[in-house]
Amino acid sequence: MDLDQTFIQAPEHRADSNFIPNQPEEIPVIDLSRLNDPENIQNVISEIGDACETWGFFQVINHGVPCDARKRVEETVKIFFDLPMEEKIKVKRDEVNPAGYHDGEHTKNVRDWKEVFDIYFKDPMVMPSSTDPEDEGLRVVYNKWPQFPSDFREACQEYAGHAEKLAFRLLELISLSLGLPKKRFHEYFKEQMSFFRINRYPPCPRPDLALGVGHHKDADVISLLAQDEVGGLQISRRSDGVWFPIRPVPNALVINIGNCMEVWTNDKYWSAEHRVVVNSTRERYSIPFFLLPSHDVEVKPLEELLSPENPPRYKGYKYGKFYVSRNRSDFKKLEIQNIQIDDFKVVT
Ligand code: OGA
Ligand code: NI
């Protein structure tokens, strides 16, 4: 079957490129219930630190997000995505407000084989009204909620509340792993732009040519992803760029480092490229929670982590402007490659 041109990945980015199917090396799975044992706290913290440095990815189990809340949201969103398109586009995202349903997202200018629904954690949320660095205007944006299923909103908000709590717990552990005070990062989240997303990857007639999400790094601080049992998420290993699958572990959450944490730690912690491979028979769902700072935060390497031997590798950037610029290219194909974190690298 023919596939629309817009979905076709360049040969070097396709699912079979540089891929190790029989994962000889495991991305760590960390049991957070060990934090209840005072003798184990330091071990957990250093395992998290090692994972952030080596992979930029790890999974957590016994993480405190109740299975019931997750199950409820999974069941509810499936009812929504199974509705006819006329219903779904009633809550469609637009160029001004990125919340809601969308099926035309592009990553690196190639269309993704997926449908998404985006929900702000804070409703309303404040974001810059333009990408222009001189323009200080702000816009207040609201979530869009479908009429049906009627408990969509409640199920999503309940789950997001738990996910956010865990995000801040992990942020504290990450801070401790860097030798910083537990709450070192908290000041950056006064007007957090965090959001969460429901991804549905339909079966694809040509999984050899298209991807569910093309290779990318997350533009946030950390991401917490619930994936179902189908599998398809792959990450690129820091040391050599080889792709490894993230094995679905029941009730686990996949945690990864985003661009902000990479910049704050001056590249000590790694924001790994990742992508989603699709298949021709089974649909797949995933629910990421993206922890984002406030729009007015200037993201730059933390002074405490710098030294004459470790000079800053990034110029600072205003988080909100970076976010709205990134969003613009997600929405449609652009003629040029959109802004990436490497654009803020200090050239040495
Ligand atoms: C994302 C993402 C992975 C997945 O939405 O940014 O990387 O498994 N998703 O859905
Ligand atoms: Ni991602």
Side-chain angles (χ1 to χ4, degrees):
M1 183 181 153
D2 278 347
L3 185 74
D4 189 288
Q5 280 287 325
T6 53
F7 290 107
I8 297 180
Q9 296 282 336
E12 67 273 25
H13 295 313
R14 291 179 192 163
D16 60 357
S17 65
N18 219 8
F19 172 60
I20 305 277
N22 296 319
Q23 197 170 348
E25 205 171 348
E26 274 282 322
I27 286 104
V29 179
I30 300 176
D31 182 348
L32 293 187
S33 69
R34 289 161 58 220
L35 290 167
N36 299 328
D37 169 10
E39 291 195 2
N40 248 321
I41 295 175
Q42 202 46 53
N43 294 335
V44 174
I45 291 171
S46 53
E47 283 167 33
I48 289 177
D50 288 347
C52 293
E53 211 168 318
T54 312
W55 291 98
F57 264 82
F58 55 98
Q59 303 203 54
V60 291
I61 54 172
N62 297 318
H63 42 63
V65 175
C67 295
D68 289 354
R70 172 166 167 179
K71 222 165 144 185
R72 184 174 174 209
V73 79
E74 283 168 350
E75 286 167 5
T76 309
V77 301
K78 188 167 165 27
I79 297 171
F80 172 79
F81 279 102
D82 286 342
L83 294 173
M85 192 55 94
E86 315 86 270
E87 281 304 310
K88 292 192 276 195
I89 60 175
K90 286 182 184 161
V91 280
K92 197 168 165 49
R93 154 174 168 184
D94 57 54
E95 228 156 322
V96 171
N97 182 357
Y101 173 80
H102 191 42
D103 73 344
E105 198 167 77
H106 289 68
T107 302
K108 304 267 161 63
N109 280 331
V110 181
R111 192 164 164 202
D112 295 328
W113 191 268
K114 69 176 180 193
E115 302 174 85
V116 306
F117 197 100
D118 282 346
I119 300 161
Y120 306 127
F121 180 71
K122 293 237 167 205
D123 187 16
M125 186 183 83
V126 182
M127 62 191 276
S129 50
S130 81
T131 56
D132 174 4
E134 303 298 315
D135 175 4
E136 292 186 6
L138 295 172
R139 171 177 294 136
V140 177
V141 285
Y142 293 83
N143 278 325
K144 301 190 185 102
W145 298 108
Q147 298 266 310
F148 182 83
S150 56
D151 70 337
F152 186 98
R153 176 177 185 156
E154 201 187 290
C156 288
Q157 285 176 333
E158 186 196 351
Y159 177 80
H162 292 295
E164 193 232 20
K165 234 163 97 202
L166 176 61
F168 278 98
R169 231 176 122 209
L170 289 165
L171 198 60
E172 291 179 359
L173 295 167
I174 288 172
S175 194
L176 292 169
S177 77
L178 292 161
L180 299 170
K182 198 163 147 177
K183 296 194 187 296
R184 172 64 181 87
F185 295 104
H186 282 42
E187 60 178 297
Y188 301 136
F189 296 89
K190 289 187 186 113
E191 286 189 78
Q192 59 171 307
M193 298 175 73
S194 301
F195 69 103
F196 83 114
R197 164 171 286 183
I198 296 124
N199 286 307
R200 174 179 181 259
Y201 303 99
C204 176
R206 293 300 304 267
D208 54 330
L209 299 179
L211 288 174
V213 187
H215 74 102
H216 68 284
K217 294 178 172 219
D218 289 348
D220 58 351
V221 175
I222 50 172
S223 314
L224 288 65
L225 177 116
Q227 63 166 338
D228 67 14
E229 72 291 353
V230 175
L233 174 59
Q234 298 179 349
I235 73 162
S236 169
R237 181 163 59 185
R238 183 173 197 175
S239 54
D240 57 9
V242 169
W243 291 94
F244 284 78
I246 300 275
R247 176 171 64 92
V249 173
N251 291 318
L253 290 168
V254 179
I255 313 301
N256 67 283
I257 295 292
N259 287 156
C260 296
M261 188 54 80
E262 185 171 58
V263 171
W264 282 334
T265 64
N266 207 32
D267 284 346
K268 181 174 165 68
Y269 287 175
W270 174 244
S271 167
E273 291 246 301
H274 51 286
R275 66 184 183 189
V276 172
V277 170
V278 281
N279 72 79
S280 57
T281 52
R282 295 181 75 183
E283 68 174 5
R284 170 175 183 262
Y285 278 90
S286 72
I287 307 177
F289 179 90
F290 299 106
L291 183 72
L292 273 65
S294 316
H295 62 86
D296 60 349
V297 167
E298 160 108 358
V299 182
K300 55 178 202 267
L302 298 181
E303 295 287 344
E304 314 89 291
L305 301 178
L306 299 176
S307 65
E309 301 75 49
N310 182 21
R313 297 186 185 197
Y314 297 88
K315 296 175 271 193
Y317 61 91
K318 268 272 170 11
Y319 191 72
K321 291 289 175 189
F322 180 67
Y323 173 81
V324 291
S325 306
R326 275 288 284 253
N327 242 314
R328 207 175 36 157
S329 80
D330 290 350
F331 192 75
K332 61 173 182 226
K333 188 169 170 20
L334 300 177
E335 291 312 312
I336 49 157
Q337 160 97 351
N338 195 15
I339 195 159
Q340 301 292 326
I341 199 66
D342 284 348
D343 296 335
F344 298 98
K345 279 244 171 183
V346 174
V347 183
T348 45

